[in-house]
Amino acid sequence: MSGRTALYEIPLIRAGEPARSAERTELCGVDGTPLATVHLAPPLLARLTVASARAGEESTPDPSLLRQAGKLFATATLNGLSPQEYCDLQSRVTGVPVTVARHSLEDVAQTFANVGARLAAERPPGTEDEFGPGVISAVWARRGDVLAVIAPSNNPGTHTQWLTALGCGYRLVVRPGARDPFTPARMIAALLEAGVAPHYLSLLPGSHATGDALVEAADLSLVFGGDAAARRYGQDRRVILRGPGRSKILHSGAITDRVLDVICDSAGFDAGMRCTNLTAVFTDGDPAALAEAVAERLARLVAAPPQSPEAQLPVLPLAEAQRLRTYLDGQLAGAVDVAAAHYPDGSVADLGDGSAALRPAVLLCDRVDHPGSRIELSFPCVWILPWQRSDGFGPLRDTLALTILGDDRTLAQEALRERTVRKVLFGAFPTYSAGTTSPHDGYLSHDLMEARGYGTAG
Amino acid sequence: MGQPKMADDFSSVFEPPLDQTPDVDELVRAAMEWHFSPLTGSPYWVERAKTLGFDPRKDVQSQADLQLFAGVPVDWSSIPADQLIPRGNAGRSVRHGVYESGGATGAPKRIIDATSRRRNVEWQSRMLDEQGFPAQGGGWLHIGPTGPHIMAKNITSLGEIRGHLSYFVDLDPRWVRRCLAEGRKDEFRRYIDHILDQVKDVLASQDIRLMSSTPRILETIAGRDDVYRLVREKVQGMIWGGTSMDAETLRLFEEEVFPQARLAGAYGNTMMGVAPQRTRRAGDAAPCVFRPYYPYTIVDLVDPDEPSRRVADGEQGRVVVTALTRDHFNPPTLERDLAVRQPSADGFPGIELSDVRPYESASTTVVEGVY
């Protein structure tokens, strides 16, 4: 690049209207190239924006409108960016391989199109929109009007979750993750262009303090985050927490190619940054043999700059990548990284431009209660632990998605009885597999809506 | 016993007419003589002088010589306050008060003040006149620390000078900080609501025309309809201070939230006094520029990584304050704040600053969990 090119600009969106801020920040690619100026909302603006979202008239968007917006998201030039330009920018700043953003275009469009079906599926039978006079029945009613979304930056697909809320009629105020304001900005542009009422959509990039003010001002909040977010908001009953995933595989029986496919796919899909990517494998077979085989396969994932089509691993600024690896090394507690032997030039792949890809780690543990099963990092990083049937499901608690590999169907039934396992997949389903209307972490609309009695005398 | 050198000997330096600025070196010499002479100095400083390794009255003749105090830490939290009263004040028949800092960075610091801060406030008041701040009549409501905090005394003085009655809603910043530090958000919210209920009561029953508080409290007012409506209706002037405010928040307050009121910022703390917002000028690099009460308060901005280097105009630095008044001597002290140095306007001899924010040493932690 010669000199400094003009930076792409992301304004705030206040109740559908773009707005500039006196506070701004510069977003750089993982290689350090400045790429975008992001306008920042202070906490005060969070309060003001929630107030103006609240003040607007009721105008819940029709699902057909959302379908139209999904098409625009995948195909139109929005905010001055073609779909390809958006993918390029998103991947260069977040370090997520560009292929993830590219297939997300279609995935996101699908999710938009599917909102109507999802709402119908999630709705309890027995609730009605209209019923005749003289009947007292149940209506499916919102628990509030404004939903704050404290969003992440790990995968564009995460943002599709708040579409359900829009379909329920919530006015949304989104505080994007620090590295990906692009995806929600594009979604909001598509929704506005499709005709969603402006006050239903706001985008406020900002700090933790802005997030706090937003959570305080909104009726309900959807907060994506790890343990830190849980500590920050865990006591607040108006907050719906998402993440971490700590998804797992429970393996019993032989180590076959099929088994390795599912494990490696679960770990490496979308560069391993989803909450439904694999964190730990519990096996009643030979953990060392399994770990070796998994490491050998995962080592084939390609380290390359995120904007290149071959990239399969997340990329960070070099120092950050090293810090993350050093952190992992400090958490081993006796576990051994059997993947390291596959990388003659180290586990952090220096891409030579200031950035580095994180190569997969496969950590062989010697006991079922090794703390590694709770350590979820934002790259393919799999803990392999020995497990016996007599260990039960205790070690598998707090799991977003659990795949059970083997032929023991009763294990799957037992897993379903463990409440903290949010999804059970029996057989060769990678952990990230989802049906179009299956619950991700329960049905979101069940946190947003409630059944209330209603009747009109005849 | 011979008559000691009396206060009046220094009054042309400590208390000249407000529009006259004493020569800074002359003020330094006067402050050294006053605070360190066994005749007029406080027991604390006179005693401390014996172990300094230099003689302030001889060796500190200029602003530059104040550097001798660089290795002299003062533990303001533990000094018995009566030891800080200058003996020379005994002949001036003034009333002393003990004032404490908010304790944001540890145990509260304690200082003594009799009349010096009032001069600082008179000077602030002149700046408010220049900015078209309403005066004469009606009440001034301060929502903030009272009790041991000097802010309450300052507001009382300001009210007297400008012809208002002062009203207070007391806020305990130490309790607020404790709630937040311990993650007790609910308690914090209830406390703020308790404060706002009291604000509402004063606004609804009294002729309040001016207000002062922290940016955070002003924000919570914007979020409470009942109180906000009363403020919009009645309040014509507001002073904000105590914590920092970013440029966008200031713009929102001025243009959208409280467009009916004049707003003026005030930077400062117990140790340095008030640095009011200087009247805005076309071409200012920042919307709010603070002017310390030079030379009684000398503010310096230094490179955070290399504190011996002063930063240039437009550069961010860490705040160093020195206070030289008749009641209080604060040797050059590195404060917790960062600020940007602004070129001083209209020949003002001290430095001016903007974009004040707390200094947080860079610490990065690995974020665990995928979301």
Side-chain angles (χ1 to χ4, degrees), chain B residues 12-42:
Chain B
S12 64
V13 192
F14 282 135
E15 295 105 5
L18 274 177
D19 53 3
Q20 287 172 27
T21 306
D23 175 73
V24 63
D25 291 341
E26 210 177 306
L27 178 67
V28 168
R29 287 190 291 273
M32 293 302 110
E33 182 60 31
W34 176 257
H35 288 288
F36 289 95
S37 152
L39 294 175
T40 55
S42 66

PDB file of all heavy atoms in Angstrom, chain B residues 12-42:
ATOM      1  N   SER B  12       1.331  40.514  49.320  1.00  0.00           N
ATOM      2  CA  SER B  12       1.369  40.977  47.931  1.00  0.00           C
ATOM      3  C   SER B  12       1.662  39.814  46.978  1.00  0.00           C
ATOM      4  O   SER B  12       1.435  39.918  45.787  1.00  0.00           O
ATOM      5  CB  SER B  12       2.432  42.067  47.747  1.00  0.00           C
ATOM      6  OG  SER B  12       3.706  41.510  48.003  1.00  0.00           O
ATOM      7  N   VAL B  13       2.165  38.698  47.539  1.00  0.00           N
ATOM      8  CA  VAL B  13       2.437  37.534  46.699  1.00  0.00           C
ATOM      9  C   VAL B  13       1.318  36.501  46.844  1.00  0.00           C
ATOM     10  O   VAL B  13       0.819  35.967  45.858  1.00  0.00           O
ATOM     11  CB  VAL B  13       3.786  36.889  47.099  1.00  0.00           C
ATOM     12  CG1 VAL B  13       4.209  35.879  46.048  1.00  0.00           C
ATOM     13  CG2 VAL B  13       4.841  37.942  47.299  1.00  0.00           C
ATOM     14  N   PHE B  14       0.916  36.250  48.103  1.00  0.00           N
ATOM     15  CA  PHE B  14      -0.139  35.254  48.318  1.00  0.00           C
ATOM     16  C   PHE B  14      -1.533  35.788  47.987  1.00  0.00           C
ATOM     17  O   PHE B  14      -2.395  35.048  47.564  1.00  0.00           O
ATOM     18  CB  PHE B  14      -0.138  34.765  49.769  1.00  0.00           C
ATOM     19  CG  PHE B  14       0.932  33.751  50.089  1.00  0.00           C
ATOM     20  CD1 PHE B  14       1.684  33.864  51.254  1.00  0.00           C
ATOM     21  CD2 PHE B  14       1.187  32.671  49.239  1.00  0.00           C
ATOM     22  CE1 PHE B  14       2.652  32.923  51.567  1.00  0.00           C
ATOM     23  CE2 PHE B  14       2.154  31.729  49.541  1.00  0.00           C
ATOM     24  CZ  PHE B  14       2.899  31.850  50.712  1.00  0.00           C
ATOM     25  N   GLU B  15      -1.745  37.072  48.276  1.00  0.00           N
ATOM     26  CA  GLU B  15      -3.103  37.608  48.112  1.00  0.00           C
ATOM     27  C   GLU B  15      -3.115  38.935  47.370  1.00  0.00           C
ATOM     28  O   GLU B  15      -3.680  39.922  47.856  1.00  0.00           O
ATOM     29  CB  GLU B  15      -3.779  37.787  49.480  1.00  0.00           C
ATOM     30  CG  GLU B  15      -4.033  36.505  50.231  1.00  0.00           C
ATOM     31  CD  GLU B  15      -3.057  36.291  51.394  1.00  0.00           C
ATOM     32  OE1 GLU B  15      -2.238  37.194  51.659  1.00  0.00           O
ATOM     33  OE2 GLU B  15      -3.093  35.206  52.008  1.00  0.00           O
ATOM     34  N   PRO B  16      -2.499  38.987  46.182  1.00  0.00           N
ATOM     35  CA  PRO B  16      -2.586  40.245  45.426  1.00  0.00           C
ATOM     36  C   PRO B  16      -3.990  40.382  44.856  1.00  0.00           C
ATOM     37  O   PRO B  16      -4.756  39.416  44.900  1.00  0.00           O
ATOM     38  CB  PRO B  16      -1.577  40.039  44.296  1.00  0.00           C
ATOM     39  CG  PRO B  16      -1.598  38.557  44.057  1.00  0.00           C
ATOM     40  CD  PRO B  16      -1.843  37.923  45.403  1.00  0.00           C
ATOM     41  N   PRO B  17      -4.342  41.555  44.326  1.00  0.00           N
ATOM     42  CA  PRO B  17      -5.636  41.663  43.656  1.00  0.00           C
ATOM     43  C   PRO B  17      -5.745  40.561  42.587  1.00  0.00           C
ATOM     44  O   PRO B  17      -4.734  40.156  42.010  1.00  0.00           O
ATOM     45  CB  PRO B  17      -5.600  43.045  43.003  1.00  0.00           C
ATOM     46  CG  PRO B  17      -4.581  43.813  43.801  1.00  0.00           C
ATOM     47  CD  PRO B  17      -3.595  42.815  44.305  1.00  0.00           C
ATOM     48  N   LEU B  18      -6.994  40.100  42.360  1.00  0.00           N
ATOM     49  CA  LEU B  18      -7.186  38.917  41.520  1.00  0.00           C
ATOM     50  C   LEU B  18      -6.639  39.065  40.115  1.00  0.00           C
ATOM     51  O   LEU B  18      -6.263  38.092  39.482  1.00  0.00           O
ATOM     52  CB  LEU B  18      -8.677  38.580  41.448  1.00  0.00           C
ATOM     53  CG  LEU B  18      -9.196  37.700  42.577  1.00  0.00           C
ATOM     54  CD1 LEU B  18     -10.695  37.521  42.418  1.00  0.00           C
ATOM     55  CD2 LEU B  18      -8.488  36.348  42.592  1.00  0.00           C
ATOM     56  N   ASP B  19      -6.601  40.292  39.607  1.00  0.00           N
ATOM     57  CA  ASP B  19      -6.134  40.440  38.230  1.00  0.00           C
ATOM     58  C   ASP B  19      -4.615  40.572  38.146  1.00  0.00           C
ATOM     59  O   ASP B  19      -4.072  40.849  37.090  1.00  0.00           O
ATOM     60  CB  ASP B  19      -6.837  41.619  37.545  1.00  0.00           C
ATOM     61  CG  ASP B  19      -6.724  42.896  38.365  1.00  0.00           C
ATOM     62  OD1 ASP B  19      -6.044  42.866  39.427  1.00  0.00           O
ATOM     63  OD2 ASP B  19      -7.328  43.903  37.966  1.00  0.00           O
ATOM     64  N   GLN B  20      -3.950  40.414  39.275  1.00  0.00           N
ATOM     65  CA  GLN B  20      -2.486  40.477  39.243  1.00  0.00           C
ATOM     66  C   GLN B  20      -1.899  39.092  39.531  1.00  0.00           C
ATOM     67  O   GLN B  20      -2.263  38.442  40.498  1.00  0.00           O
ATOM     68  CB  GLN B  20      -1.964  41.472  40.277  1.00  0.00           C
ATOM     69  CG  GLN B  20      -2.211  42.917  39.863  1.00  0.00           C
ATOM     70  CD  GLN B  20      -1.856  43.887  40.978  1.00  0.00           C
ATOM     71  OE1 GLN B  20      -1.005  43.591  41.820  1.00  0.00           O
ATOM     72  NE2 GLN B  20      -2.528  45.021  40.981  1.00  0.00           N
ATOM     73  N   THR B  21      -1.000  38.679  38.673  1.00  0.00           N
ATOM     74  CA  THR B  21      -0.352  37.395  38.850  1.00  0.00           C
ATOM     75  C   THR B  21       1.058  37.620  39.363  1.00  0.00           C
ATOM     76  O   THR B  21       1.844  38.299  38.713  1.00  0.00           O
ATOM     77  CB  THR B  21      -0.271  36.642  37.504  1.00  0.00           C
ATOM     78  OG1 THR B  21      -1.579  36.566  36.962  1.00  0.00           O
ATOM     79  CG2 THR B  21       0.324  35.267  37.680  1.00  0.00           C
ATOM     80  N   PRO B  22       1.364  37.097  40.533  1.00  0.00           N
ATOM     81  CA  PRO B  22       2.721  37.308  41.044  1.00  0.00           C
ATOM     82  C   PRO B  22       3.750  36.550  40.209  1.00  0.00           C
ATOM     83  O   PRO B  22       3.403  35.562  39.558  1.00  0.00           O
ATOM     84  CB  PRO B  22       2.652  36.744  42.459  1.00  0.00           C
ATOM     85  CG  PRO B  22       1.548  35.754  42.429  1.00  0.00           C
ATOM     86  CD  PRO B  22       0.557  36.260  41.425  1.00  0.00           C
ATOM     87  N   ASP B  23       4.959  36.987  40.265  1.00  0.00           N
ATOM     88  CA  ASP B  23       6.049  36.270  39.623  1.00  0.00           C
ATOM     89  C   ASP B  23       6.190  34.913  40.301  1.00  0.00           C
ATOM     90  O   ASP B  23       6.190  34.810  41.533  1.00  0.00           O
ATOM     91  CB  ASP B  23       7.340  37.084  39.789  1.00  0.00           C
ATOM     92  CG  ASP B  23       8.528  36.329  39.247  1.00  0.00           C
ATOM     93  OD1 ASP B  23       8.635  36.238  38.009  1.00  0.00           O
ATOM     94  OD2 ASP B  23       9.328  35.807  40.056  1.00  0.00           O
ATOM     95  N   VAL B  24       6.296  33.863  39.500  1.00  0.00           N
ATOM     96  CA  VAL B  24       6.265  32.527  40.070  1.00  0.00           C
ATOM     97  C   VAL B  24       7.445  32.278  41.019  1.00  0.00           C
ATOM     98  O   VAL B  24       7.300  31.662  42.076  1.00  0.00           O
ATOM     99  CB  VAL B  24       6.159  31.440  38.967  1.00  0.00           C
ATOM    100  CG1 VAL B  24       7.369  31.455  38.051  1.00  0.00           C
ATOM    101  CG2 VAL B  24       5.991  30.059  39.587  1.00  0.00           C
ATOM    102  N   ASP B  25       8.614  32.773  40.651  1.00  0.00           N
ATOM    103  CA  ASP B  25       9.782  32.538  41.510  1.00  0.00           C
ATOM    104  C   ASP B  25       9.641  33.282  42.837  1.00  0.00           C
ATOM    105  O   ASP B  25      10.035  32.792  43.895  1.00  0.00           O
ATOM    106  CB  ASP B  25      11.067  32.960  40.793  1.00  0.00           C
ATOM    107  CG  ASP B  25      11.372  32.028  39.613  1.00  0.00           C
ATOM    108  OD1 ASP B  25      10.831  30.907  39.597  1.00  0.00           O
ATOM    109  OD2 ASP B  25      12.128  32.442  38.708  1.00  0.00           O
ATOM    110  N   GLU B  26       9.047  34.447  42.752  1.00  0.00           N
ATOM    111  CA  GLU B  26       8.805  35.208  43.974  1.00  0.00           C
ATOM    112  C   GLU B  26       7.831  34.457  44.886  1.00  0.00           C
ATOM    113  O   GLU B  26       8.009  34.385  46.106  1.00  0.00           O
ATOM    114  CB  GLU B  26       8.201  36.566  43.579  1.00  0.00           C
ATOM    115  CG  GLU B  26       8.542  37.688  44.536  1.00  0.00           C
ATOM    116  CD  GLU B  26       7.961  39.007  44.026  1.00  0.00           C
ATOM    117  OE1 GLU B  26       8.243  39.381  42.862  1.00  0.00           O
ATOM    118  OE2 GLU B  26       7.213  39.627  44.801  1.00  0.00           O
ATOM    119  N   LEU B  27       6.816  33.834  44.258  1.00  0.00           N
ATOM    120  CA  LEU B  27       5.853  33.044  45.025  1.00  0.00           C
ATOM    121  C   LEU B  27       6.537  31.821  45.641  1.00  0.00           C
ATOM    122  O   LEU B  27       6.277  31.464  46.793  1.00  0.00           O
ATOM    123  CB  LEU B  27       4.685  32.615  44.138  1.00  0.00           C
ATOM    124  CG  LEU B  27       3.639  31.725  44.835  1.00  0.00           C
ATOM    125  CD1 LEU B  27       2.890  32.494  45.922  1.00  0.00           C
ATOM    126  CD2 LEU B  27       2.643  31.151  43.830  1.00  0.00           C
ATOM    127  N   VAL B  28       7.410  31.197  44.882  1.00  0.00           N
ATOM    128  CA  VAL B  28       8.130  30.033  45.403  1.00  0.00           C
ATOM    129  C   VAL B  28       8.931  30.438  46.644  1.00  0.00           C
ATOM    130  O   VAL B  28       8.870  29.769  47.682  1.00  0.00           O
ATOM    131  CB  VAL B  28       9.064  29.436  44.322  1.00  0.00           C
ATOM    132  CG1 VAL B  28      10.022  28.426  44.939  1.00  0.00           C
ATOM    133  CG2 VAL B  28       8.251  28.790  43.209  1.00  0.00           C
ATOM    134  N   ARG B  29       9.646  31.552  46.546  1.00  0.00           N
ATOM    135  CA  ARG B  29      10.454  31.991  47.704  1.00  0.00           C
ATOM    136  C   ARG B  29       9.563  32.314  48.907  1.00  0.00           C
ATOM    137  O   ARG B  29       9.861  31.946  50.041  1.00  0.00           O
ATOM    138  CB  ARG B  29      11.306  33.210  47.315  1.00  0.00           C
ATOM    139  CG  ARG B  29      12.469  32.854  46.396  1.00  0.00           C
ATOM    140  CD  ARG B  29      13.426  34.027  46.216  1.00  0.00           C
ATOM    141  NE  ARG B  29      12.852  35.133  45.445  1.00  0.00           N
ATOM    142  CZ  ARG B  29      12.899  35.204  44.093  1.00  0.00           C
ATOM    143  NH1 ARG B  29      13.494  34.240  43.385  1.00  0.00           N
ATOM    144  NH2 ARG B  29      12.384  36.224  43.469  1.00  0.00           N
ATOM    145  N   ALA B  30       8.459  32.980  48.631  1.00  0.00           N
ATOM    146  CA  ALA B  30       7.541  33.324  49.733  1.00  0.00           C
ATOM    147  C   ALA B  30       6.992  32.063  50.392  1.00  0.00           C
ATOM    148  O   ALA B  30       6.919  31.951  51.623  1.00  0.00           O
ATOM    149  CB  ALA B  30       6.387  34.184  49.202  1.00  0.00           C
ATOM    150  N   ALA B  31       6.625  31.075  49.548  1.00  0.00           N
ATOM    151  CA  ALA B  31       6.041  29.840  50.080  1.00  0.00           C
ATOM    152  C   ALA B  31       7.072  29.092  50.913  1.00  0.00           C
ATOM    153  O   ALA B  31       6.751  28.530  51.969  1.00  0.00           O
ATOM    154  CB  ALA B  31       5.527  28.973  48.932  1.00  0.00           C
ATOM    155  N   MET B  32       8.327  29.080  50.458  1.00  0.00           N
ATOM    156  CA  MET B  32       9.370  28.383  51.202  1.00  0.00           C
ATOM    157  C   MET B  32       9.583  29.051  52.557  1.00  0.00           C
ATOM    158  O   MET B  32       9.671  28.396  53.593  1.00  0.00           O
ATOM    159  CB  MET B  32      10.691  28.367  50.406  1.00  0.00           C
ATOM    160  CG  MET B  32      10.666  27.531  49.135  1.00  0.00           C
ATOM    161  SD  MET B  32      10.249  25.802  49.425  1.00  0.00           S
ATOM    162  CE  MET B  32       8.629  25.744  48.694  1.00  0.00           C
ATOM    163  N   GLU B  33       9.667  30.364  52.527  1.00  0.00           N
ATOM    164  CA  GLU B  33       9.897  31.104  53.765  1.00  0.00           C
ATOM    165  C   GLU B  33       8.726  30.876  54.727  1.00  0.00           C
ATOM    166  O   GLU B  33       8.902  30.538  55.889  1.00  0.00           O
ATOM    167  CB  GLU B  33      10.067  32.597  53.435  1.00  0.00           C
ATOM    168  CG  GLU B  33      10.369  33.477  54.628  1.00  0.00           C
ATOM    169  CD  GLU B  33      11.665  33.088  55.353  1.00  0.00           C
ATOM    170  OE1 GLU B  33      12.609  32.578  54.672  1.00  0.00           O
ATOM    171  OE2 GLU B  33      11.714  33.254  56.591  1.00  0.00           O
ATOM    172  N   TRP B  34       7.522  31.018  54.191  1.00  0.00           N
ATOM    173  CA  TRP B  34       6.315  30.927  55.019  1.00  0.00           C
ATOM    174  C   TRP B  34       6.136  29.526  55.616  1.00  0.00           C
ATOM    175  O   TRP B  34       5.891  29.356  56.796  1.00  0.00           O
ATOM    176  CB  TRP B  34       5.096  31.314  54.168  1.00  0.00           C
ATOM    177  CG  TRP B  34       3.771  31.167  54.860  1.00  0.00           C
ATOM    178  CD1 TRP B  34       2.871  30.160  54.680  1.00  0.00           C
ATOM    179  CD2 TRP B  34       3.206  32.028  55.846  1.00  0.00           C
ATOM    180  NE1 TRP B  34       1.774  30.335  55.477  1.00  0.00           N
ATOM    181  CE2 TRP B  34       1.950  31.480  56.207  1.00  0.00           C
ATOM    182  CE3 TRP B  34       3.630  33.230  56.457  1.00  0.00           C
ATOM    183  CZ2 TRP B  34       1.110  32.081  57.149  1.00  0.00           C
ATOM    184  CZ3 TRP B  34       2.789  33.818  57.390  1.00  0.00           C
ATOM    185  CH2 TRP B  34       1.557  33.247  57.738  1.00  0.00           C
ATOM    186  N   HIS B  35       6.275  28.506  54.796  1.00  0.00           N
ATOM    187  CA  HIS B  35       5.981  27.153  55.273  1.00  0.00           C
ATOM    188  C   HIS B  35       7.121  26.494  56.040  1.00  0.00           C
ATOM    189  O   HIS B  35       6.890  25.577  56.812  1.00  0.00           O
ATOM    190  CB  HIS B  35       5.554  26.251  54.103  1.00  0.00           C
ATOM    191  CG  HIS B  35       4.196  26.568  53.575  1.00  0.00           C
ATOM    192  ND1 HIS B  35       3.038  26.280  54.265  1.00  0.00           N
ATOM    193  CD2 HIS B  35       3.799  27.177  52.425  1.00  0.00           C
ATOM    194  CE1 HIS B  35       1.984  26.689  53.563  1.00  0.00           C
ATOM    195  NE2 HIS B  35       2.424  27.245  52.439  1.00  0.00           N
ATOM    196  N   PHE B  36       8.360  26.993  55.814  1.00  0.00           N
ATOM    197  CA  PHE B  36       9.497  26.312  56.451  1.00  0.00           C
ATOM    198  C   PHE B  36      10.155  27.116  57.561  1.00  0.00           C
ATOM    199  O   PHE B  36      10.983  26.590  58.294  1.00  0.00           O
ATOM    200  CB  PHE B  36      10.530  25.908  55.387  1.00  0.00           C
ATOM    201  CG  PHE B  36      10.039  24.783  54.518  1.00  0.00           C
ATOM    202  CD1 PHE B  36       9.423  25.031  53.307  1.00  0.00           C
ATOM    203  CD2 PHE B  36      10.174  23.467  54.955  1.00  0.00           C
ATOM    204  CE1 PHE B  36       8.954  23.993  52.527  1.00  0.00           C
ATOM    205  CE2 PHE B  36       9.705  22.421  54.166  1.00  0.00           C
ATOM    206  CZ  PHE B  36       9.096  22.678  52.948  1.00  0.00           C
ATOM    207  N   SER B  37       9.796  28.382  57.687  1.00  0.00           N
ATOM    208  CA  SER B  37      10.375  29.151  58.777  1.00  0.00           C
ATOM    209  C   SER B  37       9.755  28.691  60.103  1.00  0.00           C
ATOM    210  O   SER B  37       8.538  28.511  60.189  1.00  0.00           O
ATOM    211  CB  SER B  37      10.098  30.642  58.555  1.00  0.00           C
ATOM    212  OG  SER B  37      10.047  31.289  59.814  1.00  0.00           O
ATOM    213  N   PRO B  38      10.580  28.489  61.129  1.00  0.00           N
ATOM    214  CA  PRO B  38      10.031  28.082  62.429  1.00  0.00           C
ATOM    215  C   PRO B  38       9.022  29.089  62.965  1.00  0.00           C
ATOM    216  O   PRO B  38       8.168  28.746  63.783  1.00  0.00           O
ATOM    217  CB  PRO B  38      11.261  28.012  63.337  1.00  0.00           C
ATOM    218  CG  PRO B  38      12.426  27.902  62.409  1.00  0.00           C
ATOM    219  CD  PRO B  38      12.046  28.604  61.149  1.00  0.00           C
ATOM    220  N   LEU B  39       9.091  30.326  62.490  1.00  0.00           N
ATOM    221  CA  LEU B  39       8.169  31.337  62.992  1.00  0.00           C
ATOM    222  C   LEU B  39       6.788  31.215  62.381  1.00  0.00           C
ATOM    223  O   LEU B  39       5.773  31.401  63.033  1.00  0.00           O
ATOM    224  CB  LEU B  39       8.720  32.742  62.701  1.00  0.00           C
ATOM    225  CG  LEU B  39      10.007  33.088  63.442  1.00  0.00           C
ATOM    226  CD1 LEU B  39      10.523  34.442  62.983  1.00  0.00           C
ATOM    227  CD2 LEU B  39       9.766  33.091  64.950  1.00  0.00           C
ATOM    228  N   THR B  40       6.728  30.905  61.097  1.00  0.00           N
ATOM    229  CA  THR B  40       5.429  30.897  60.405  1.00  0.00           C
ATOM    230  C   THR B  40       5.026  29.529  59.876  1.00  0.00           C
ATOM    231  O   THR B  40       3.860  29.298  59.564  1.00  0.00           O
ATOM    232  CB  THR B  40       5.457  31.870  59.199  1.00  0.00           C
ATOM    233  OG1 THR B  40       6.569  31.512  58.359  1.00  0.00           O
ATOM    234  CG2 THR B  40       5.594  33.304  59.660  1.00  0.00           C
ATOM    235  N   GLY B  41       5.986  28.619  59.730  1.00  0.00           N
ATOM    236  CA  GLY B  41       5.699  27.336  59.092  1.00  0.00           C
ATOM    237  C   GLY B  41       4.882  26.403  59.964  1.00  0.00           C
ATOM    238  O   GLY B  41       4.752  26.593  61.176  1.00  0.00           O
ATOM    239  N   SER B  42       4.361  25.373  59.347  1.00  0.00           N
ATOM    240  CA  SER B  42       3.601  24.381  60.104  1.00  0.00           C
ATOM    241  C   SER B  42       4.580  23.465  60.832  1.00  0.00           C
ATOM    242  O   SER B  42       5.705  23.261  60.373  1.00  0.00           O
ATOM    243  CB  SER B  42       2.735  23.557  59.156  1.00  0.00           C
ATOM    244  OG  SER B  42       3.556  22.781  58.303  1.00  0.00           O
TER     245      SER B  42
END
